[in-house]
Amino acid sequence: SLAAFSMSGFTGGLCSMGGPPLVMWVMAHDWTVERTRAFLFGSFMSLVPFQLAVLYWTFGHDVVYGMTLGIVFSPVVLLGSLLGLRVGARFSKPFLRRLAFLFLAAIALSAMFPQIWRFLQRY
């Protein structure tokens, strides 16, 4: 668990993608879907105040615009989360595990291919 949390912090700071190491660590456990969701949500939300403080300290008042947008659109995120909870409750844990790994692979590929394409265009 220490490795997963450390890696999550490292990748979060490196490229703003701290979720995948924790998601993979959680998926390795035989937890219920509800426990998995609660753990991940609690883990990510517990750091939000600290992250906002660091962003404000680092970037100053410019961060307030992004925070305001986040607050304005939070009802949309809440509706999406409620829909996702309803849909996800219909699937088994093994299916959700495969789906999570598929999403992680898609995120990784989408993050890698623009850089690979730019690299190849140079030559």
Side-chain angles (χ1 to χ4, degrees):
S1 66
L2 184 60
F5 280 88
S6 298
M7 206 53 193
S8 176
F10 177 75
T11 58
L14 180 69
C15 61
S16 297
M17 289 189 196
L22 278 185
V23 171
M24 290 189 294
W25 180 76
V26 168
M27 291 297 159
H29 290 81
D30 191 26
W31 292 350
T32 64
V33 172
E34 292 80 12
R35 183 175 180 184
T36 298
R37 285 190 188 121
F39 177 84
L40 288 172
F41 182 78
S43 296
F44 297 136
M45 291 304 294
S46 67
L47 288 175
V48 167
F50 175 73
Q51 290 170 333
L52 289 176
V54 169
L55 284 170
Y56 188 79
W57 179 63
T58 304
F59 299 108
H61 196 66
D62 292 336
V63 173
V64 174
Y65 176 74
M67 286 192 277
T68 304
L69 281 179
I71 291 168
V72 167
F73 286 105
S74 62
V76 178
V77 174
L78 179 62
L79 288 174
S81 294
L82 292 174
L83 178 64
L85 286 171
R86 292 191 111 185
V87 171
R90 298 172 189 236
F91 298 119
S92 68
K93 173 73 176 190
F95 177 79
L96 287 174
R97 180 178 288 139
R98 287 191 299 272
L99 190 63
F101 284 131
L102 181 68
F103 279 128
L104 290 173
I107 290 168
L109 291 173
S110 70
M112 287 179 352
F113 278 121
Q115 282 71 22
I116 293 171
W117 180 249
R118 282 188 211 121
F119 176 77
L120 292 174
Q121 285 179 328
R122 291 183 201 166
Y123 302 101

